[in-house]
Amino acid sequence: MKQKLGILSLGCPRNLVDAESITGRLNFKGYKIIEDVTGADVALVNTCAFTQDAKLESIDAILDLIELKKQGKVKKIIVYGCLAQRYKDELRRQLPEVDAFVGTLGLNHETKRFALTPAHYAYLKICEGCVNNCSYCVIPKIKGKLTSLDEVSIINKVKRFNNEKISELNIIGQDITGFGIDRYGQSQLTALLKKIIDSTPDIGWIRLLYLNPERVSDELLAMIKASTRICKYIDLPIQHINNRVLSLMRRNITEKGIVSLIQKIRKIIPGVCLRTSLIVGFPSETDEEFKQLFNFVQDIKFERLGVFIYSREEGTPAYNFKGQVPKELKEERFNMIMSSQAGIAADVNSKLLGKSILVLVEDKLDGAYIGRTQYDAPEVDGVVYINSKKALKKGEFVKVKITDTLEYDLVGEVKS
Ligand code: SF4
């Protein structure tokens, strides 16, 4: 009788790709994959250890599984991923009910994968580890130095995605602009992108996630502009704008560099959707430096924005920096930027009112369909609520006339 394997994947899309490759291998070995861990012979939890909150979420998930095991609803528990990689010995001592702790597994060169995303989109991880060494980040400690996946494996994977008729391919890594630096001494992202485009004629959208502003080249921007299939969506984590803070973060770029890059992107690709992520409350961040960041966000009006509260992570250089900012003040700064961004997001959306835009249909909920525009990445950005008299299929691209706009979401209709 086939053993039932239940998988719970926490953290980022990069972690999800690891979960898909592990599940794919175990499925190949004869395990039956079940959606829900309850009732599993083996329950796998793929953990995250990027921030305090992520660690707490992972530990809670493990404790829930231990409870299920005590009730006999799960036979074996395997914990892998970043938390296991980082705290294996400690966890083994404190959680003897867990059967195995397996660290991170590195890149999967095979095409075998058990899809944990909806069938119409997929993530392609092209590199592991990171070429950078930001002072607040534990990733280099957990995932190691940058390792680029070999091109043959990548092209095999994307050809498989093309055969699977997915509609959207999301290209990811810790910093995809670093792709190839470990092998060729300089970024090979645009060369790779050309091969991916040539190998995937049936995939509607190709989305680039996690571009480091330090290495966004004119060649890359020209390729994004020229391609009808690369989403006009630039995910550009900048983290801060003040030069003193940027240098403490070991971000190899200055305010001037960031501002001129944003101006160049918007000039080369008019109407582009710019997403960024920021950290507030970095050690010794002063009121003035935060104010500068706040004003910058108001001036630039990013179409999409994520804000993280600085998380003090042992083992990172910033852990020992002086001037750790009090929790309340960090939260206050977080709320200030998020409430300001809510207004900007609503404003950005209002410009689409009455326009017809291409939408990828994702699901149906309470009689309305849910979809995303090319300006919305899966799971992190807004959605489009679609009214349609005719039946729509998941993974289908439809023209939607926008009839109403909300803070982060849109409402529209498909003409029958
Ligand atoms: S770019 Fe910086 S923040 Fe991102 S994974 Fe690399 S070291 Fe961490």
Side-chain angles (χ1 to χ4, degrees), residues 216-392:
V216 174
S217 65
D218 293 1
E219 198 193 0
L220 179 64
L221 294 176
M223 184 179 274
I224 295 172
K225 178 184 172 67
S227 166
T228 54
R229 294 195 288 125
I230 301 178
C231 295
K232 304 301 174 269
Y233 178 94
I234 303 263
D235 175 31
L236 194 75
I238 63 167
Q239 312 304 5
H240 212 284
I241 197 61
N242 171 269
N243 287 336
R244 188 188 74 88
V245 177
L246 284 167
S247 101
L248 281 176
M249 286 179 165
R250 296 190 189 160
R251 301 287 291 177
N252 304 325
I253 193 165
T254 61
E255 175 189 7
K256 193 160 166 278
I258 290 170
V259 171
S260 66
L261 175 61
I262 290 171
Q263 288 164 346
K264 181 163 64 175
I265 292 172
R266 285 180 165 164
K267 189 156 169 269
I268 294 174
I269 314 171
V272 68
C273 174
L274 257 182
R275 164 176 259 280
T276 197
S277 55
L278 305 173
I279 294 176
V280 292
F282 188 78
S284 74
E285 180 190 58
T286 64
D287 288 347
E288 293 67 43
E289 289 161 346
F290 171 71
K291 194 83 188 104
Q292 183 189 358
L293 181 65
F294 182 82
N295 295 341
F296 168 74
V297 167
Q298 294 213 311
D299 296 347
I300 294 292
K301 296 186 176 20
F302 288 98
E303 285 74 18
R304 307 281 184 266
L305 179 91
V307 182
F308 294 88
I309 288 180
Y310 170 72
S311 177
R312 191 181 182 196
E313 293 301 321
E314 74 268 9
T316 63
Y319 183 85
N320 299 313
F321 284 3
K322 292 197 171 50
Q324 299 286 333
V325 177
K327 187 166 177 292
E328 299 66 36
L329 185 51
K330 288 197 271 190
E331 286 165 357
E332 187 189 310
R333 289 176 178 172
F334 172 86
N335 294 332
M336 278 180 69
I337 292 197
M338 286 313 283
S339 49
S340 153
Q341 182 62 20
I344 292 167
D347 205 35
V348 167
N349 270 355
S350 67
K351 295 193 178 77
L352 293 173
L353 193 60
K355 296 231 171 79
S356 281
I357 49 177
L358 198 63
V359 171
L360 171 60
V361 179
E362 296 221 282
D363 210 341
K364 190 172 187 182
L365 202 67
D366 308 335
Y369 292 92
I370 308 271
R372 281 183 290 114
T373 71
Q374 66 168 317
Y375 310 124
D376 300 302
E379 298 167 69
V380 289
D381 295 323
V383 296
V384 184
Y385 298 99
I386 313 163
N387 297 307
S388 171
K389 292 199 179 61
K390 65 178 180 177
L392 305 178

Side-chain angles (χ1 to χ4, degrees), residues 14 50 129-140 174-175 212 215 237 239 249-251 279:
R14 296 159 289 218
F50 189 47
C130 193
V131 70
N132 313 299
N133 207 5
C134 307
S135 64
Y136 51 84
C137 182
V138 284
I139 299 286
Q174 302 301 348
D175 163 14
N212 189 305
R215 270 180 297 274
Q239 312 304 5
M249 286 179 165
R250 296 190 189 160
R251 301 287 291 177
I279 294 176

Side-chain angles (χ1 to χ4, degrees), residues 8-10 37 43-49 54-70 74 76-85 87-88 90-92 94-102:
L8 181 61
S9 190
L10 304 170
V37 287
L44 270 174
V45 55
N46 180 18
T47 58
C48 175
K55 287 188 274 187
L56 289 174
E57 185 195 11
S58 296
I59 290 165
D60 285 349
I62 299 169
L63 295 175
D64 290 349
L65 287 178
I66 289 174
E67 203 39 52
L68 286 174
K69 190 177 181 186
K70 285 184 183 144
V74 155
K76 278 195 183 335
I77 303 171
I78 299 181
V79 172
Y80 80 100
C82 298
L83 190 80
Q85 178 76 23
Y87 302 106
K88 198 177 287 180
E90 217 173 317
L91 290 168
R92 205 175 269 134
Q94 293 178 10
L95 302 169
E97 301 88 345
V98 171
D99 300 274
F101 289 97
V102 187

